[in-house]
Amino acid sequence: MNIRCFSLLFLLLSGTFFAQQKITIEDIYSGAFQQQGMEEFQSLKKTSQYTVLNHDNSSSKIQIDLYDFASLKKVATLFDTKNYSRLPRVERYSFDPSERLILLACNENSIYRHSFTADYFLYDIDKKELTKVFNSPVQEPTFSPDGKKIAFAKDNNLYVYDLGTKTITTITTDGKKNEIINGICDWVYEEEFSFVRAFDWSADSKKLAYIRFDENQVPEFSMTVYGANLYPSIETIKYPKAGEHNSMVSLHIYDVVSKETQKVNLENYNDFYIPRIKWTNDAKLLSVKILNRHQNNLDLLFVDVTTGTTKVVLNEKNKKYIDFVDTDNLYFLSDNRFIWTTEKDGFNHIYLYDKTGKLISQITRGNWEVTSLYGLDEKNKKVYYESVENGSTNRDVYSIGLDGTNNTRLSKRSGTNTATFSPDYRYYVNIFSSATQPTIYTLNDSKTGRELQLIENNEDLVVRLRGYDLPVKEFFTLKTKGGNELNAWMIKPKNFNASKKYPVFMYQYSGPGYQKVKNDWNSYDDYWFMMLAQQGYIVACVDGRGTGYKGESFKKVTYKQLGKYELEDQIEAAKIFGSYNYVDASRIGIFGWSFGGFMAANCILKGGDVFKMAIAVAPVTNWRFYDSVYTERYMQTPQENPSGYDDNSPINFASQLKGKFLLIHGSADDNVHVQNSMLMMEALIQANKQFDSQIYPDKNHGIFGGMTRIQLYHKMTNFIKESL
């Protein structure tokens, strides 16, 4: 063989050997791209140490390991399941105030999105003793501040377990499914206010405050559970839809010593929410947030438990709504001054108040949003927080003086940074990722942000992905005719040729205050989008008006008209993409899940001249079908705003379908009920429109379990190939 022929053969073989590996759906959902992390990472309060739940895959054992913040060295293994062969799998853990007892949660059984029951075991680190605490599964066991007791919920009632006497005291007895809940949130509070435990210990461990939910007037929603039995069963939950009765809530304080309960007088309020309770550092004062049903008037109350009196220490009003998710930062200083975040100047910022609720100062300011409040180093008078100062698609860790001076960016890499601080605020673990870099964990100095040591950089995943030669997200700003600047990204095929015409598959969520154009590492969907790019599609995402982290006016423009401006922006974005020389304007599709499914349905119905196909997964098709807290926050009630509901609900526009439409739902979706898709199907049928659909039996809003996700994504991929 001559040299020329040998060289040609080498090049051919090299090209084959180094060819781009193709992503498969099986790869994505079998864990091939799983990152390494720090599971159940907890910063201890009494020492400058932290703990992590570590798995030994070779032996299937689990350890709770203790590390030193300053050196990152492993100090000890606090608990090892190898010594307790009969113990079920440990799924999470918590410490008592002394940090010498560990409460282990095993056999978790999910209820809704956040709530679950579990079996609990108590491990004494010093005595190396393990005991089962309760005879049956319970919810939300929480140590008292003195470490002597554990409050918990079971079957809608509250109890206190005494660690010394090993006895249980009953606090409430009237709890009953679908009627009364004590100390645990009802469905809509859990889903929309994002918390489960509705009880809290006072600082001196003498009082337990809790919220009681009376669900008797809340309408019921029933779902058929098919299972594998001869006859299906019915699951019934209390679900307040827009304009319907909510739970009647009341606030109670239990005295641990006298075993008496007093009801807090809230008679000045009518048809209201209690989205948080929290004891101040003064054991006599309980803080309570009271939100009116329109969610545009928020009171922060202080309840004096010695007298039973209440006082409004802070009131916040908004012409549209108070975004509780963004204003849910309340931090008490040792003298009961407090830090609070609010959008009252048009952007979410940090404010300092004295203990009576008088404003002392605004700590942060600017045309950017604070996204998280990490805490306060009182000794050095420094507040630590996360924000989008470095661009709305990025997140960075900052410090600032309590007086609003010396604002310092601590994180150094552009992308998404979050932090967990040591108890003395000397160190923090920075968790960073970007669209091109898997998650990196580092130990950093809190004064300067200087990186002290690498903990984990997911280099194994980086090496593994090199064989796939993945396409990258290109971030850019898309400017509309109306002058709106929208964050966007695009993924092009790796072998992109600008002289060719490509189909475009758009993805969005578009829900109020949310963001999908973000500089962070790949989600499962991102790998799917890259798989589609490998198969010749351009995938794009645009965050239109109504999405978050660009200020209050950009987010709240959709008030009372959910789906109107969001739809306009997705249609205009599609038209702009269609004007690109390398895009086939006749082959543009769109996909979304939940709110994104609502938007995808609207796009194919109202934008049929622009979109050739759409996939809507678990969509709201009529806002009258969705829950009261979420829907009324943005729309008021159907009785007050009927046109806002009717003009933007896909179910009312079935006759306008022109393109290909795939409608997908789980039959056991307790969040967006399958009723949405069933009645959407009926509307399409009566309009004599052809469409595709898929119902997943007994699957919830996430549609997962077993081979479900693999089958689902194969179905959607095939639909894209056939329709686009």
Side-chain angles (χ1 to χ4, degrees):
M1 180 182 293
N2 63 39
I3 293 176
R4 188 167 182 271
C5 290
F6 179 81
S7 299
L8 181 61
L9 178 62
F10 176 79
L11 288 171
L12 289 170
L13 290 172
S14 298
T16 303
F17 182 78
F18 292 107
Q20 181 185 28
Q21 279 182 257
K22 299 297 184 184
I23 299 173
T24 68
I25 291 168
E26 285 74 13
D27 284 338
I28 298 170
Y29 287 100
S30 64
F33 307 126
Q34 191 72 34
Q35 296 190 83
Q36 295 298 314
M38 300 172 72
E39 187 176 348
E40 288 294 310
F41 171 52
Q42 295 188 31
S43 176
L44 299 187
K45 295 180 174 61
K46 289 189 170 294
T47 62
S48 191
Q49 296 171 315
Y50 65 88
T51 56
V52 177
L53 195 66
N54 286 323
H55 297 262
D56 184 340
N57 294 326
S58 61
S59 63
S60 299
K61 301 302 180 184
I62 297 173
Q63 299 89 32
I64 299 175
D65 291 324
L66 180 68
Y67 297 85
D68 182 70
F69 261 110
S71 67
L72 293 183
K73 291 182 179 179
K74 180 178 171 180
V75 176
T77 294
L78 300 182
F79 180 78
D80 195 332
T81 58
K82 73 178 183 182
N83 301 318
Y84 303 93
S85 58
R86 296 184 180 180
L87 183 71
R89 179 183 175 85
V90 176
E91 298 181 78
R92 66 187 79 202
Y93 64 93
S94 60
F95 288 92
D96 78 322
S98 74
E99 296 178 342
R100 305 311 299 166
L101 298 177
I102 309 176
L103 196 59
L104 307 169
C106 306
N107 293 330
E108 286 188 9
N109 184 30
S110 294
I111 302 173
Y112 302 125
R113 187 187 294 266
H114 307 291
S115 56
F116 62 91
T117 60
D119 292 317
Y120 286 89
F121 296 81
L122 193 65
Y123 181 70
D124 188 310
I125 297 173
D126 299 323
K127 296 179 181 178
K128 298 188 177 349
E129 292 179 354
L130 181 72
T131 55
K132 189 172 184 181
V133 191
F134 313 110
N135 293 326
S136 57
V138 304
Q139 287 184 267
E140 300 294 321
T142 305
F143 286 103
S144 58
D146 63 10
K148 295 180 180 180
K149 295 177 175 62
I150 299 175
F152 66 94
K154 179 184 175 184
D155 297 331
N156 291 15
N157 282 312
L158 275 178
Y159 304 86
V160 170
Y161 174 77
D162 189 303
L163 277 78
T165 63
K166 294 181 171 52
T167 57
I168 293 177
T169 301
T170 301
I171 298 177
T172 68
T173 58
D174 60 346
K176 186 176 180 181
K177 182 177 173 60
N178 288 337
E179 292 187 15
I180 301 294
I181 314 173
N182 293 289
I184 297 292
C185 289
D186 66 359
W187 184 93
V188 75
Y189 267 63
E190 176 178 335
E191 179 66 26
E192 306 303 352
F193 292 130
S194 300
F195 75 117
V196 175
R197 180 168 61 87
F199 65 84
D200 197 36
W201 284 102
S202 62
D204 60 5
S205 303
K206 295 180 180 179
K207 300 282 196 299
L208 191 75
Y210 66 92
I211 305 171
R212 178 181 183 269
F213 296 81
D214 184 338
E215 296 188 291
N216 280 288
Q217 299 302 312
V218 180
E220 293 181 341
F221 187 87
S222 297
M223 297 181 295
T224 299
V225 180
Y226 297 96
N229 296 323
L230 187 59
Y231 293 94
S233 60
I234 302 295
E235 177 68 23
T236 300
I237 63 172
K238 293 286 188 167
Y239 187 106
K241 298 198 174 190
E244 299 297 315
H245 287 291
N246 287 317
S247 291
M248 292 187 293
V249 289
S250 53
L251 181 62
H252 305 262
I253 298 173
Y254 173 75
D255 188 298
V256 176
V257 178
S258 69
K259 296 182 171 53
E260 294 181 351
T261 300
Q262 71 176 97
K263 181 179 178 181
V264 177
N265 185 352
L266 299 176
E267 291 180 356
N268 290 336
Y269 297 96
N270 181 48
D271 205 2
F272 61 96
Y273 300 111
I274 307 178
R276 289 293 188 277
I277 59 173
K278 182 178 184 178
W279 286 92
T280 72
N281 289 320
D282 181 343
K284 300 190 298 296
L285 290 178
L286 172 71
S287 76
V288 184
K289 292 181 180 179
I290 305 287
L291 190 63
N292 68 331
R293 181 149 184 170
H294 277 168
Q295 299 175 64
N296 57 13
N297 191 321
L298 176 65
D299 281 349
L300 177 65
L301 294 184
F302 278 3
V303 180
D304 187 328
V305 297
T306 59
T307 63
T309 58
T310 62
K311 178 184 178 183
V312 177
V313 295
L314 188 152
N315 171 259
E316 184 169 329
K317 293 182 175 68
N318 194 287
K319 292 180 179 178
K320 294 181 178 178
Y321 59 87
I322 294 168
D323 195 333
F324 190 82
V325 176
D326 285 342
T327 59
D328 186 27
N329 282 321
L330 174 62
Y331 183 94
F332 287 99
L333 282 68
S334 57
D335 60 3
N336 250 22
R337 287 180 296 164
F338 61 91
I339 292 172
W340 173 278
T341 65
T342 171
E343 295 178 301
K344 68 180 182 179
D345 77 345
F347 294 86
N348 195 43
H349 280 298
I350 305 171
Y351 296 76
L352 175 65
Y353 295 84
D354 72 13
K355 62 182 180 180
T356 68
K358 181 182 178 181
L359 177 64
I360 298 174
S361 64
Q362 181 175 347
I363 298 174
T364 63
R365 63 180 71 243
N367 294 338
W368 45 267
E369 306 255 301
V370 170
T371 51
S372 186
L373 175 62
Y374 291 123
L376 168 68
D377 177 0
E378 285 199 60
K379 179 181 177 182
N380 294 299
K381 298 181 179 179
K382 274 191 177 182
V383 179
Y384 292 94
Y385 68 95
E386 173 195 300
S387 80
V388 296
E389 287 169 69
N390 188 34
S392 58
T393 61
N394 296 317
R395 300 287 186 277
D396 280 285
V397 180
Y398 287 83
S399 67
I400 191 170
L402 192 59
D403 60 0
T405 63
N406 298 319
N407 187 10
T408 304
R409 180 186 172 198
L410 299 176
S411 46
K412 309 304 180 185
R413 299 181 178 96
S414 288
T416 297
N417 295 272
T418 60
T420 299
F421 286 82
S422 62
D424 57 7
Y425 289 96
R426 288 182 61 194
Y427 307 102
Y428 70 94
V429 172
N430 192 88
I431 305 168
F432 166 80
S433 78
S434 71
T436 57
Q437 172 61 55
T439 306
I440 297 175
Y441 296 81
T442 57
L443 179 70
N444 295 63
D445 175 78
S446 295
K447 288 185 179 179
T448 64
R450 182 169 63 92
E451 185 177 308
L452 302 175
Q453 197 168 337
L454 175 69
I455 302 173
E456 172 63 60
N457 64 0
N458 276 291
E459 182 61 25
D460 289 346
L461 178 58
V462 173
V463 172
R464 194 180 321 137
L465 289 175
R466 284 176 188 156
Y468 290 89
D469 193 22
L470 297 177
V472 297
K473 280 182 180 176
E474 301 173 17
F475 290 87
F476 60 100
T477 299
L478 188 148
K479 192 167 185 176
T480 67
K481 291 178 182 177
N484 296 300
E485 295 186 352
L486 311 179
N487 293 334
W489 56 250
M490 182 176 282
I491 301 173
K492 297 173 183 173
K494 194 73 176 181
N495 58 353
F496 174 76
N497 182 344
S499 65
K500 291 179 61 177
K501 292 281 190 180
Y502 292 89
V504 173
F505 185 63
M506 292 174 61
Y507 165 64
Q508 47 65 57
Y509 181 75
S510 303
Y514 283 82
Q515 183 183 58
K516 286 299 180 183
V517 182
K518 185 180 178 184
N519 189 9
D520 61 2
W521 185 242
N522 299 334
S523 66
Y524 287 115
D525 275 343
D526 286 320
Y527 286 110
W528 182 51
F529 300 147
M530 291 176 182
M531 185 196 85
L532 293 173
Q534 287 182 335
Q535 297 179 21
Y537 293 90
I538 289 176
V539 183
C541 181
V542 177
D543 277 344
R545 284 170 291 174
T547 55
Y549 309 107
K550 297 185 75 173
E552 185 181 34
S553 60
F554 184 87
K555 177 175 62 179
K556 295 182 181 179
V557 68
T558 63
Y559 183 57
K560 297 177 74 173
Q561 290 286 344
L562 278 189
K564 180 182 185 322
Y565 298 104
E566 304 95 318
L567 176 66
E568 290 177 6
D569 288 347
Q570 294 303 315
I571 289 176
E572 185 166 358
K575 288 179 178 178
I576 293 172
F577 294 149
S579 70
Y580 294 172
N581 292 334
Y582 52 82
V583 169
D584 184 345
S586 68
R587 298 173 65 197
I588 298 178
I590 192 162
F591 156 71
W593 197 306
S594 195
F595 196 103
F598 154 74
M599 284 295 300
N602 263 339
C603 283
I604 197 65
L605 296 174
K606 292 186 174 184
D609 294 333
V610 178
F611 294 99
K612 185 179 181 182
M613 57 80 69
I615 302 173
V617 183
V620 173
T621 63
N622 186 338
W623 282 113
R624 296 170 187 270
F625 297 159
Y626 200 53
D627 77 59
S628 57
V629 174
Y630 183 93
T631 313
E632 293 172 16
R633 179 186 302 151
Y634 310 117
M635 298 281 280
Q636 295 190 351
T637 66
Q639 296 85 350
E640 295 168 303
N641 180 27
S643 63
Y645 281 75
D646 296 337
D647 293 348
N648 301 293
S649 290
I651 201 167
N652 297 322
F653 302 93
S655 63
Q656 297 179 200
L657 179 64
K658 295 178 182 178
K660 300 290 186 178
F661 185 33
L662 174 58
L663 186 56
I664 295 170
H665 223 117
S667 72
D669 191 335
D670 63 284
N671 184 354
V672 180
H673 302 144
V674 72
Q675 171 192 28
N676 284 270
S677 285
M678 289 298 187
L679 294 185
M680 185 76 235
M681 291 178 197
E682 176 63 11
L684 290 165
I685 291 166
Q686 295 308 317
N688 194 24
K689 296 295 181 178
Q690 295 301 313
F691 63 97
D692 291 88
S693 64
Q694 176 73 59
I695 299 297
Y696 285 89
D698 296 342
K699 296 301 183 287
N700 64 15
H701 196 56
I703 311 182
F704 61 89
M707 293 292 290
T708 303
R709 277 291 176 100
I710 291 174
Q711 194 273 351
L712 166 62
Y713 276 80
H714 271 298
K715 183 168 192 67
M716 293 195 296
T717 302
N718 292 338
F719 186 76
I720 294 166
K721 290 179 178 180
E722 294 164 3
S723 307
L724 197 58

